[in-house]
Amino acid sequence: MTPSLQAHINSGKTVEIDGLSFFYIEEGKGDEIIFLLPGFLTTSYNYRKLVELLSTHYRVIALDFLGTGFSGRPDGPLSHRLQAHYLSPFLEKVVGDKKVHVVAFDYALPILCFAFKEHSNQYKSLSILGGFMNLPKFRYYFPLHFLRLPIIGEIFSFLFRPPLLRFFYKWFLVKKTHHFTSEWEKTMYHLLFEGKNKKNTLEFIRNVDRSTHTLREIEEGAKHFVGLRQIYLGEEDFRISPKQTEYMKETLRTSSLVFLPCKHLAMEECPTVVYEKLHYFVDSFSHKKTKTFHFNKQNKD
């Protein structure tokens, strides 16, 4: 285990719900709470830089979904409905009746929309990092495209180990100029592809319901959410199609689209920029500096 991962574990906390253990990071203090949710090929560990920055002003919580990172795994499948079901009791255990500003990366957005159907009152605002909502039309980006395939995915996943793991991330998920250390690579291998973690990672990727019924539920959940919302997209992120982005803007009824100097993993590539944007957004909300928060034009700062 790498020193970085050991430090991550030592700083983490766990809470038990229905016999399942949920691992999360909690740092900082303040009236405003920021709740960070990971997506495909990520865990709470990938938020470590952003947690450190945000915790100077806010109480920050980064969660590992069931079956990922250091959270327990249920007996049943790792479906997005199951993940969404436990978001509400998790927040009740950790923050009580307080509302949170949620940041959803990638696949966390459709999971969150399921949670909005019954418990949208637990959230103040929504910030989306490279997310997508239209599951029936979602095109699995590489390397998910191969990892989701039975048999082929198992064989292909054997390549996701040092020293090749860093290559896949640098080639497909971040800018080629971004530097990953060997310690980071070993940490991600342990979290996602070592031992039983590989099985959980593959199942998490594969158990995506792309039916039109699911889409209707996602849309219904989005309509229940009444807080402010904004979309962050990497200026070189071609993993998420423009049609997905337009669909999110239309469904969530927002014109707020902020471009970031990154590819897909904004929290790893440009955490300082993400922090500045989130800080302004949450600070504006908490102090009621503006009644609405919209961008009249695309922001490429």
Side-chain angles (χ1 to χ4, degrees):
M1 186 174 294
T2 64
S4 177
L5 185 57
Q6 187 62 60
H8 179 70
I9 295 173
N10 293 342
S11 63
K13 300 179 180 180
T14 59
V15 62
E16 188 170 301
I17 304 171
D18 294 340
L20 295 170
S21 176
F22 290 79
F23 178 89
Y24 65 100
I25 298 296
E26 182 175 4
E27 300 287 347
K29 298 179 180 180
D31 294 330
E32 301 298 327
I33 305 170
I34 299 181
F35 186 35
L36 307 174
L37 296 175
F40 289 136
L41 300 179
T42 53
T43 72
S44 61
Y45 175 81
N46 298 96
Y47 277 119
R48 67 200 179 284
K49 299 175 184 177
L50 194 55
V51 168
E52 182 179 359
L53 293 167
L54 289 170
S55 62
T56 59
H57 297 277
Y58 309 104
R59 182 181 174 189
V60 187
I61 298 167
L63 174 68
D64 279 346
F65 281 122
L66 288 172
T68 70
F70 293 102
S71 286
R73 79 142 294 152
D75 295 330
L78 298 175
S79 68
H80 41 231
R81 286 182 175 82
L82 177 73
Q83 306 287 6
H85 170 76
Y86 280 105
L87 286 179
S88 178
F90 172 82
L91 288 175
E92 289 176 0
K93 282 260 188 178
V94 176
V95 303
D97 59 357
K98 295 181 179 179
K99 295 185 178 183
V100 301
H101 301 272
V102 63
V103 178
F105 170 69
D106 192 83
Y107 180 50
L109 180 57
I111 292 174
L112 192 60
C113 286
F114 275 101
F116 283 161
K117 282 185 62 179
E118 302 292 337
H119 304 286
S120 61
N121 61 322
Q122 292 179 302
Y123 304 91
K124 286 185 177 181
S125 70
L126 167 64
S127 297
I128 301 163
L129 285 180
F132 52 87
M133 292 177 63
N134 194 337
L135 291 181
K137 294 187 177 181
F138 171 62
R139 292 185 177 181
Y140 281 89
Y141 51 81
F142 197 89
L144 300 180
H145 179 73
F146 287 105
L147 291 173
R148 67 182 287 263
L149 299 175
I151 301 176
I152 294 176
E154 275 79 6
I155 297 173
F156 186 60
S157 65
F158 281 102
L159 299 176
F160 282 72
R161 61 181 65 223
L164 291 177
L165 182 62
R166 210 180 332 178
F167 164 79
F168 285 114
Y169 274 85
K170 285 182 67 67
W171 192 260
F172 299 106
L173 299 177
V174 301
K175 285 185 174 182
K176 292 182 176 62
T177 55
H178 184 75
H179 175 67
F180 284 130
T181 65
S182 59
E183 182 176 349
W184 179 93
E185 183 180 39
K186 293 175 183 176
T187 298
M188 293 305 296
Y189 170 68
H190 176 85
L191 286 169
L192 298 175
F193 294 102
E194 188 174 33
K196 64 179 181 180
N197 292 341
K198 181 175 71 172
K199 179 182 178 182
N200 291 339
T201 295
L202 295 179
E203 184 178 343
F204 188 64
I205 294 171
R206 292 169 177 170
N207 284 346
V208 178
D209 185 349
R210 303 174 71 187
S211 67
T212 54
H213 175 71
T214 294
L215 183 61
R216 288 195 295 269
E217 289 188 88
I218 290 173
E219 291 174 343
E220 182 181 347
K223 291 177 182 177
H224 278 74
F225 178 68
V226 296
L228 296 180
R229 67 290 310 263
Q230 61 178 349
I231 302 170
Y232 294 123
L233 188 66
E235 59 189 10
E236 295 186 20
D237 190 359
F238 307 114
R239 315 279 76 75
I240 307 301
S241 72
K243 290 183 179 180
Q244 281 282 354
T245 303
E246 289 304 314
Y247 176 82
M248 284 191 296
K249 290 169 66 177
E250 180 181 348
T251 305
L252 290 168
R253 304 181 303 281
T254 181
S255 60
S256 174
L257 175 60
V258 182
F259 284 94
L260 302 173
C262 65
K263 206 167 186 176
H264 191 55
L265 299 181
M267 70 284 268
E268 290 278 8
E269 298 177 79
C270 55
T272 301
V273 177
V274 177
Y275 156 72
E276 291 170 351
K277 301 293 186 183
L278 281 174
H279 178 42
Y280 175 77
F281 181 64
V282 175
D283 190 58
S284 297
F285 181 96
S286 61
H287 290 89
K288 298 181 181 179
K289 293 177 181 177
T290 56
K291 292 184 179 179
T292 59
F293 189 85
H294 295 291
F295 285 83
N296 293 323
K297 60 182 180 179
Q298 291 180 341
N299 183 350
K300 293 191 179 184
D301 291 343

